[in-house]
Amino acid sequence: MKLSVLVNEGPYQHQSADSAIQFTTAALKKGHEIFRVFFYHDGVNNGTRFAVPPKDDRNITEQWTALSKEYNLDLVICIAAAQRRGILDENEAKRQGKDGHNMADGFRISGLGQLIEAGIQSDRLVIFGD
Amino acid sequence: MPMLHTVNKSPFERRTLDTALRHAVKGAAILLIEDGVYAAFDGTVVAEKVKSALKDHKIYVLGPDVAARGMSEHHVIDGLQVVDYGGFVDLVVEYDKVQSWL
Amino acid sequence: MAEPWEDDELEGPVRKFMYVNRRAPYGTIYALESLEVVLIAAAFEQDVTLVFMDDGVYQIKKEQNTEAIGVKNFSPTYRALEGYDVEKLYVERESLQSRGLTVEDLIVPVQIVDKDQLAELMEEQEVILSF
């Protein structure tokens, strides 16, 4: 079955990102297709490569990146929510005249239309948040 | 098939479980995850409410979240089913859609 | 008559989307950002239903004045939804009553439904986005 996942909270603050990773991994292992994982609200903070959690803790962003590499997962960060919270890819940094960019490998920035499209194209949409 | 309602809040702090139960039609299922799992145990002030909800709904609780919180699957209310993440995925597939009561 | 190249390939299927608003405005960003989703979604010409329940009914309370908290008052935007063909707005009666509010307190015309009608309405949807 074709599933999509929406993540609405940032990593570490709330369990939702961890739950989403566990759910997504389980779905992929069962052979389901994950059409898209969309990050909204503070969920966009999942995509910063500048986070440095303690060594004995999990690195949530790297977990997403690894999943995206292994399964060719489409990880989409909402551009409007990302701009508010300072999550930028190289293009956006250039466009906004910022001196750096922090988006991690495997993620891409796009519009809210990608969430709606996920709702249209997927058999199920599962939301993780606070 | 009706829908799957997920609840991720402790019933002792928030009213999310009540809201989900109020809006679940007969035959809809409830899945307790994250802090929502605290509703799943016998001997609490919400246990009776959960038991009476079993008349109209299947109720599931996510085992990994139970274990993480030091709670025992042995004390899960009779009639509730413990599932792992694979079981969570199966429920999402089995029911027509998912309403996440955040 | 639609031209052959104007078939529905680009548009895709029309699905029943429900946006469930359960949070008060300003205390957190959920209300504002979920409204932003609804506005974008309107362009996709899906079958859209908005529900205001629990503290979500406060989103459409009349006479919001945010001047002194330094935050933009986004409540007028709900009145613009009609222009985006978002016309199915439902409010749960119990949520309204338990907060001491009536339809007279609301900034937009809505349909009042009780909790059982709302439960049925939810079951009729294909995609539910809850904020």
Side-chain angles (χ1 to χ4, degrees):
Chain A
M1 193 173 256
K2 203 189 280 187
L3 313 174
S4 281
V5 171
L6 171 61
V7 181
N8 283 340
E9 293 300 325
Y12 312 109
Q13 175 80 19
H14 190 280
Q15 198 188 339
S16 58
D18 297 292
S19 298
I21 287 172
Q22 300 298 335
F23 176 87
T24 302
T25 306
L28 290 166
K29 283 192 173 150
K30 277 180 170 281
H32 296 295
E33 177 191 347
I34 299 288
F35 177 76
R36 181 166 295 149
V37 181
F38 193 84
F39 298 88
Y40 196 44
H41 301 306
D42 275 359
V44 298
N45 291 313
N46 278 271
T48 174
R49 61 189 168 88
F50 284 176
V52 189
K55 283 217 160 47
D56 60 351
D57 197 357
R58 79 280 190 220
N59 186 320
I60 292 177
T61 302
E62 286 179 1
Q63 288 178 337
W64 283 121
T65 298
L67 268 184
S68 104
K69 283 204 176 113
E70 186 175 350
Y71 293 98
N72 197 21
L73 204 55
D74 191 21
L75 306 175
V76 180
I77 291 190
C78 168
I79 188 166
Q83 284 178 338
R84 273 198 181 105
R85 292 161 177 88
I87 305 292
L88 299 158
D89 64 5
E90 203 171 348
N91 274 340
E92 268 310 293
K94 220 175 275 170
R95 219 165 61 92
Q96 304 291 343
K98 298 292 183 185
D99 59 7
H101 51 88
N102 54 355
M103 211 178 63
D105 274 354
F107 291 83
R108 63 186 179 95
I109 284 191
S110 191
L112 275 168
Q114 299 273 305
L115 169 61
I116 308 304
E117 191 199 16
I120 295 170
Q121 299 295 336
S122 310
D123 300 304
R124 302 284 186 276
L125 174 67
V126 184
I127 306 178
F128 293 92
D130 188 10
Chain B
M1 203 67 163
M3 65 175 140
L4 175 69
H5 299 260
T6 68
V7 174
N8 73 339
K9 298 295 186 302
S10 164
F12 308 107
E13 195 201 351
R14 304 276 277 271
R15 295 161 64 187
T16 317
L17 175 64
D18 290 329
T19 306
L21 289 173
R22 250 196 355 257
H23 296 89
V25 301
K26 200 173 162 65
I30 311 284
L31 170 64
L32 306 170
I33 68 168
E34 300 172 357
D35 289 350
V37 302
Y38 289 119
F41 303 97
D42 247 327
T44 73
V45 296
V46 299
E48 283 311 312
K49 184 192 319 186
V50 173
K51 284 177 195 172
S52 75
L54 280 169
K55 282 180 223 127
D56 288 331
H57 310 288
K58 283 191 180 162
I59 305 181
Y60 303 88
V61 57
L62 194 62
D65 280 333
V66 170
R69 286 159 176 77
M71 305 300 283
S72 168
E73 289 189 12
H74 301 298
H75 295 143
V76 165
I77 295 165
D78 270 351
L80 265 65
Q81 295 174 55
V82 181
V83 295
D84 59 9
Y85 281 101
F88 184 172
V89 172
D90 292 342
L91 290 172
V92 165
V93 170
E94 182 183 347
Y95 289 86
D96 276 352
K97 56 191 164 285
V98 186
Q99 157 74 329
S100 310
W101 296 96
L102 301 176
Chain C
M1 268 299 277
E3 301 293 341
W5 58 86
E6 291 178 331
D7 63 15
D8 56 10
E9 195 176 78
L10 273 178
E11 292 160 20
V14 172
R15 304 195 82 183
K16 291 169 85 91
F17 274 73
M18 174 182 273
Y19 298 88
V20 182
N21 297 291
R22 297 179 51 234
R23 318 244 199 182
Y26 312 120
T28 58
I29 198 169
Y30 300 106
L32 170 63
E33 286 191 330
S34 66
L35 182 58
E36 289 178 351
V37 175
V38 173
L39 293 172
I40 296 291
F44 284 74
E45 298 182 343
Q46 301 293 302
D47 182 352
V48 171
T49 299
L50 251 65
V51 172
F52 299 90
M53 61 181 289
D54 298 336
D55 280 352
V57 300
Y58 289 128
Q59 292 180 22
I60 48 174
K61 172 75 179 62
K62 271 183 192 163
E63 293 173 343
Q64 294 176 30
N65 180 347
T66 58
E67 256 170 61
I69 64 166
V71 178
K72 188 178 161 194
N73 175 3
F74 58 90
S75 64
T77 309
Y78 294 101
R79 281 198 296 233
L81 286 174
E82 205 185 350
Y84 289 85
D85 289 327
V86 178
E87 288 161 340
K88 286 188 269 188
L89 275 59
Y90 294 91
V91 169
E92 187 191 48
R93 185 190 316 279
E94 291 84 349
S95 299
L96 207 55
Q97 279 177 348
S98 62
R99 285 162 181 77
L101 299 173
T102 70
V103 280
E104 300 300 313
D105 294 305
L106 305 179
I107 198 169
V108 276
V110 296
Q111 253 178 286
I112 304 291
V113 289
D114 65 31
K115 68 173 180 65
D116 295 325
Q117 291 171 307
L118 183 53
E120 290 300 331
L121 205 58
M122 286 179 174
E123 286 291 343
E124 290 168 17
Q125 306 302 315
E126 293 175 279
V127 184
I128 301 181
L129 282 151
S130 183
F131 293 97

